[in-house]
Amino acid sequence: MKYFPQINMAKTGSNIIKLREAKGYSVRDLQSELGFDDPQAIYKWQKGKSLPRIDNLVILSELFETPIERILVVEKDQGPFDLYRPFFLRIFGEMAYNIEIVLMLKS
């Protein structure tokens, strides 16, 4: 099984708050700039309950003067070896890397 990176919604929400505050925007300012009738979507982003659509990410990127990649917090999902890496390294030392290769080939 292949493991893909995932967007961490909670950390992305916290990041949106930091970037917004760093540029001096209020939630109402973003609401106005994005053309929203109410601020609920922005609050949901900040609480990690949802993510901005790509068109809104493009606008946020311009407002925050930062690339979209710096707005989203992307984390690599852990594979089976990642969970047990400390154990394997402690018990098997350098052989642990061979075990990792075997596990990767089987998945």
Side-chain angles (χ1 to χ4, degrees):
M1 172 181 246
K2 188 168 180 152
Y3 296 92
F4 294 98
Q6 296 180 356
I7 297 171
N8 184 315
M9 291 172 51
K11 289 182 181 178
T12 295
S14 295
N15 203 32
I16 289 172
I17 293 169
K18 288 178 198 165
L19 292 166
R20 176 180 59 76
E21 290 175 347
K23 288 295 178 181
Y25 288 109
S26 69
V27 170
R28 295 284 181 185
D29 292 335
L30 288 187
Q31 174 190 341
S32 176
E33 292 287 347
L34 293 162
F36 292 169
D37 291 333
D38 60 62
Q40 293 310 309
I42 298 164
Y43 286 118
K44 286 181 181 178
W45 302 341
Q46 292 184 155
K47 291 180 181 177
K49 302 223 181 268
S50 68
L51 292 169
R53 293 186 336 212
I54 190 68
D55 56 334
N56 293 323
L57 279 170
V58 170
I59 295 168
L60 292 174
S61 175
E62 288 294 315
L63 293 172
F64 297 158
E65 299 176 3
T66 191
I68 291 172
E69 301 85 50
R70 298 204 59 192
I71 297 172
L72 299 172
V73 177
V74 180
E75 297 177 340
K76 183 180 178 202
D77 196 13
Q78 291 188 330
F81 185 77
D82 294 323
L83 297 174
Y84 301 105
R85 182 182 305 271
F87 169 77
F88 282 134
L89 289 174
R90 189 172 59 245
I91 302 299
F92 298 108
E94 288 298 316
M95 270 182 43
Y97 294 104
N98 295 331
I99 294 169
E100 180 176 21
I101 291 168
V102 170
L103 287 173
M104 287 173 27
L105 292 174
K106 286 186 175 187
S107 58

